Amino acid sequence: MIDLRLPIGIFFILVGLIITIYSIIAPAYVPHIKEHINIDLYWGIVLLIFGIPMTIFGWMAEQKSKNARTPEEKSTH
Amino acid sequence: MDWMAPIGQLVGTVALPTTTAAAKNGPLLAMHPIDYAVLVVYLLFVVGIGVLTGRKQKTSEDFFLSGRSIPSWITGLAFISANLGALEVMGMATSGYEYGMITANYYWIGAIPAMVFMGVAMMRFFYGSKVRSVPEFLNKRYNEGTRFVNAVTFAIFTPAISGISMYALALVLQDFLGLNFNVSVLISALVVLVYTFLGGLTASIYNEVLQFFLIVFGVAPLTIIALIANHGWAHFKHWLATHQLYAVYPKAAVAATAAKLHATANATANSAHAVMQGATAAHAKAAAVATAGVKLSGSQWLHTWTHMGSINNPLQTTWPGVVLGLGFVLSFSYWCTNFLVVQRALAAKDMTAAQDTPLLAAFPKMIFPFIVILPGVLAIPLIPHLLPSGPGVAPTKTFNNVMPLMMARYYPAGLLGLGLTALMASFMSGMAGNVTAFNTVVTYDLYAAYIRPNATDKHYLNFGRLMTVVGIIISVGFAYAVAGSRSIMGYTQNIFGVVNAPLIAVFLLGMFTGFTTPMGGFAGIVIGTLTSLTLFVLRFPGWPMAHTFNNGTSGAFWCAVWSFLAGATATIVVSLFTKNKPREQLVGLVYQLTPKPEAHDVPLWRRPLVIGIVALICALILNLFFW
């Protein structure tokens, strides 16, 4: 079974990228407060900070489990 | 909030959304294409996970129990996520607004001790006995009758609760975004159907973990932004300390307006000539009570226990009811016996992972009040008009939608897409959890037990898939059936919590004493359930116990305690006069008759008891901090 960290990591990288890029193209500040906070930019980066290590650890675990398979198992895949 | 709502809070379904004034004038928000992009990516991923996991579904055990192969961090997060329905996420914010941090008792005295007990004491028997469902455990420990009662109640209420959740979410999407109700229902149902049909429990669990993180990242910014909008925690505390707020359903008001309320409730109930119509009376009563209003210091909204010595607190309930009713009976019953959550632990790869499932889940669970309750509390100064503004002024019902209202106010495009996708994810995780538990119980405990006992494994796999479709069709049907009747919704979403409450008596006596007999267990589950249902009905407006308790919350807590006592008494008394199973049949099911596992090679910090104690200490610290 696929290491779950991989799809979760990729999902948050994609969403993080969508929101971060959008925040740069069209900065959106939090409405109804005095402070000018480009929340999309900050939160997009938070999503990337979460998504990237998840993807790396998930990918590493996938590689490890592929290498650990016996030759017989490999032949069936 | 409805008088019967507190049980719903426990089981993850709470305040029902109501059509807002804004919604009547058209949608509150316009979704930007970027918001749709986030939603589409999410939908593609959940379906993709269904397709990926679907390839591994070879046997019925793969489909219903993930082949018992999942690591504990995944089952642990799914354990929480299956309970994180849309109505819990939105409803907890509502309760935060209405009752304040007292709502965190549902976590810090409710869920956490129960989850720890489940991991430390009960999981050994669930997982060790190799049962595939909770009703199957009841069959092994007691008899077929006990299993049947539990399986039937579970199979009836699970898809119904799922349907209510679906209706509620579609209503919110319609109100806030102008999304067509039918389109919302159909898309959500189809997506859940595709991934649970293909990937069974594995797809459901994998998606629940994705949904867990999505809910955290989609809703957490609300707490941060609300803190900024309140100019920081200290400023917020000062605001509350210098303001008085009206509790919604105060006891004093009940007394002051008793005659008027009674007349209103009776008139409405009698004219309806139906029990279900009683909720209309409840609403009339609630609105009338609230018009009298009683002022409390705003700082009460920040305490969990300080004001629980009397009923003069926003929840209008005292601590014994909370500790016994909520902390013990309702919470232990839900977290230790409800198959919806137990199934996640049964999917774990080994005994250690199964025990770790509720234990590891306890840590993120105790943080959740900061994500789902606190935004509601912080919303009080920001959107203050939702509570009753004074005597003679009825509260606006829109506090039920406080979370989407806060998102609408403070989330810009992009983040709004993430927030609304999180709400949708919370709905899907709740629905998929219900459907995967439903298909397992129907297949193993009803179909394989009574209709086709000796069919092939492939047959049960196919039947389980068919039941997945049936479960979703029933949910959708229920969503439409209740669309015109909030009263049916209100009763149904709470009744399962009520029915399930006394079950913990039968389990505790069955697992931790050897003398309880099969007939004792059967009597316990039947008498406990009937007591619970009777007390539930007697508290309907206009019925004999309608005014016995300060409010619905108090009534729910104390009636749970009484039902527990009734179930326990019936189990004990009948066991004294009936024949027990041979002792060898109870090995692995009863504490005293089961060899203790060797723990020599497990490091101290990895032992369930140690993890459990750490979790309890953390919960205690949180309780003290918000005391």
Side-chain angles (χ1 to χ4, degrees):
Chain A
M1 197 76 71
I2 189 168
D3 189 290
L4 183 55
R5 285 170 291 187
L6 198 56
I8 289 179
I10 294 171
F11 172 78
F12 279 101
I13 288 177
L14 279 177
V15 175
L17 279 176
I18 290 173
I19 294 179
T20 309
I21 292 169
Y22 176 72
S23 74
I24 295 166
I25 298 168
Y29 300 103
V30 177
H32 303 293
I33 62 170
K34 285 178 192 165
E35 295 84 353
H36 285 279
I37 301 171
N38 187 348
I39 188 80
D40 279 354
L41 177 64
Y42 298 134
W43 208 249
I45 291 170
V46 168
L47 297 181
L48 291 172
I49 289 171
F50 175 75
I52 291 169
M54 283 290 267
T55 308
I56 293 171
F57 287 124
W59 183 79
M60 282 165 56
E62 276 290 298
Q63 296 304 311
K64 202 174 160 186
S65 100
K66 268 185 196 167
N67 294 336
R69 280 182 198 151
T70 60
E72 294 83 47
E73 280 176 320
K74 278 181 183 170
S75 66
T76 64
H77 284 78
Chain B
M1 180 176 292
D2 299 330
W3 59 276
M4 72 293 262
I7 302 276
Q9 288 169 357
L10 184 79
V11 299
T13 55
V14 65
L16 302 166
T18 40
T19 304
T20 62
K24 284 173 189 161
N25 302 324
L28 199 65
L29 291 165
M31 265 177 95
H32 192 274
I34 207 77
D35 301 322
Y36 282 111
V38 175
L39 184 60
V40 168
V41 169
Y42 165 73
L43 293 176
L44 289 176
F45 263 75
V46 286
V47 171
I49 285 176
V51 173
L52 271 177
T53 51
R55 293 177 193 162
K56 300 282 181 184
Q57 309 303 311
K58 302 280 192 283
T59 67
S60 66
E61 188 142 305
D62 290 337
F63 189 74
F64 296 118
L65 290 170
S66 300
R68 299 186 196 264
S69 62
I70 312 247
S72 56
W73 75 271
I74 294 178
T75 51
L77 292 180
F79 192 83
I80 306 177
S81 201
N83 169 257
L84 270 181
L87 289 174
E88 159 148 346
V89 174
M90 290 190 286
M92 280 292 158
T94 296
S95 296
Y97 190 97
E98 193 177 353
Y99 303 128
M101 285 307 288
I102 241 173
T103 312
N105 283 331
Y106 284 92
Y107 292 76
W108 298 336
I109 191 70
I112 305 303
M115 289 162 83
V116 168
F117 185 77
M118 174 68 163
V120 172
M122 289 178 72
M123 190 52 73
R124 259 177 69 198
F125 307 106
F126 277 130
Y127 195 88
S129 61
K130 293 287 169 200
V131 294
R132 298 166 298 185
S133 69
V134 167
E136 191 176 346
F137 181 88
L138 286 171
N139 183 31
K140 276 195 166 187
R141 176 61 185 83
Y142 293 113
N143 56 17
E144 277 290 348
T146 320
R147 169 201 230 177
F148 184 76
V149 173
N150 185 234
V152 167
T153 23
F154 191 84
I156 290 172
F157 288 109
T158 313
I161 290 166
S162 171
I164 292 166
S165 183
M166 174 186 283
Y167 168 77
L169 185 88
L171 200 64
V172 168
L173 294 179
Q174 179 179 274
D175 282 1
F176 283 83
L177 300 171
L179 287 185
N180 181 282
F181 182 89
N182 298 328
V183 172
S184 296
V185 166
L186 285 178
I187 289 180
S188 315
L190 263 179
V191 170
V192 174
L193 174 64
V194 167
Y195 74 73
T196 49
F197 183 87
L198 292 174
L201 183 64
T202 312
S204 179
I205 285 180
Y206 272 35
N207 274 322
E208 279 158 14
V209 176
L210 173 66
Q211 286 148 354
F212 170 84
F213 287 115
L214 186 55
I215 293 163
V216 170
F217 284 110
V219 178
L222 210 49
T223 306
I224 300 167
I225 294 172
L227 271 172
I228 296 169
N230 274 299
H231 311 292
W233 183 247
H235 193 272
F236 172 67
K237 276 174 76 174
H238 178 73
W239 189 95
L240 283 179
T242 52
H243 285 76
Q244 289 198 309
L245 304 172
Y246 279 89
V248 177
Y249 304 142
K251 166 85 170 178
V254 175
T257 56
K260 179 185 165 192
L261 303 180
H262 208 78
T264 314
N266 281 337
T268 317
N270 291 338
S271 67
H273 293 297
V275 170
M276 284 303 176
Q277 292 289 340
T280 316
H283 286 296
K285 170 189 163 186
V289 170
T291 58
V294 160
K295 272 188 174 179
L296 297 172
S297 164
S299 59
Q300 286 211 15
W301 265 250
L302 283 182
H303 294 284
T304 50
W305 293 104
T306 305
H307 306 285
M308 296 290 268
S310 75
I311 58 160
N312 289 321
N313 57 63
L315 195 60
Q316 299 283 307
T317 305
T318 52
W319 66 269
V322 172
V323 172
L324 292 173
L326 171 67
F328 177 52
V329 180
L330 289 170
S331 298
F332 274 63
S333 165
Y334 181 75
W335 292 102
C336 301
T337 72
N338 190 328
F339 184 55
L340 170 65
V341 288
V342 174
Q343 188 181 24
R344 273 68 204 151
L346 294 183
K349 63 180 180 180
D350 53 33
M351 177 67 90
T352 310
Q355 288 187 298
D356 282 349
T357 297
L359 292 173
L360 297 182
F363 292 93
K365 184 76 182 171
M366 70 178 82
I367 306 298
F368 251 74
F370 298 106
I371 299 172
V372 293
I373 298 174
L374 202 52
V377 189
L378 289 164
I380 295 171
L382 305 174
I383 35 176
H385 57 281
L386 305 180
L387 282 175
S389 55
V393 183
T396 157
K397 282 280 182 183
T398 48
F399 60 69
N400 280 347
N401 282 329
V402 68
M403 182 168 277
L405 277 172
M406 285 284 281
M407 283 183 181
R409 185 174 167 86
Y410 292 110
Y411 274 13
L415 198 57
L416 183 66
L418 188 66
L420 291 172
T421 306
L423 291 184
M424 194 169 253
S426 70
F427 155 70
M428 286 187 182
S429 64
M431 184 182 187
N434 279 307
V435 168
T436 47
F438 168 82
N439 65 20
T440 308
V441 167
V442 172
T443 305
Y444 284 146
D445 295 300
L446 295 174
Y447 184 72
Y450 302 107
I451 299 168
R452 282 285 299 272
N454 297 312
T456 61
D457 189 70
K458 181 81 179 164
H459 179 81
Y460 292 133
L461 174 62
N462 290 335
F463 185 80
R465 286 210 156 109
L466 177 66
M467 284 305 105
T468 308
V469 180
V470 170
I472 287 181
I473 289 174
I474 296 175
S475 297
V476 173
F478 209 83
Y480 281 100
V482 300
S485 173
R486 274 172 49 82
S487 50
I488 295 177
M489 284 170 62
Y491 285 114
T492 312
Q493 74 163 359
N494 289 288
I495 203 165
F496 182 64
V498 171
V499 168
N500 204 47
L503 200 59
I504 188 67
V506 178
F507 267 96
L508 289 180
L509 287 165
M511 277 184 180
F512 299 99
T513 71
F515 81 94
T516 46
T517 64
M519 281 314 291
F522 182 69
I525 198 169
V526 171
I527 301 284
T529 306
L530 287 178
T531 307
S532 198
L533 274 174
T534 309
L535 292 173
F536 184 67
V537 172
L538 286 177
R539 287 187 291 122
F540 283 3
W543 287 64
M545 288 175 66
H547 300 290
T548 306
F549 301 97
N550 298 331
N551 58 17
T553 314
S554 213
F557 292 169
W558 283 113
C559 289
V561 175
W562 292 353
S563 311
F564 169 86
L565 290 174
T569 308
T571 308
I572 293 168
V573 170
V574 174
S575 293
L576 291 175
F577 300 101
T578 50
K579 195 166 173 264
N580 205 352
K581 282 187 173 180
R583 286 173 74 86
E584 58 272 16
Q585 283 185 24
L586 300 179
V587 173
L589 305 170
V590 176
Y591 182 80
Q592 290 85 346
L593 305 175
T594 307
K596 287 202 174 83
E598 297 290 327
H600 301 305
D601 51 344
V602 182
L604 192 67
W605 63 274
R606 286 292 290 113
R607 293 183 190 172
L609 187 61
V610 176
I611 301 174
I613 289 171
V614 173
L616 289 177
I617 291 172
C618 292
L620 180 67
I621 291 169
L622 288 168
N623 269 302
L624 292 174
F625 190 77
F626 283 94
W627 190 270

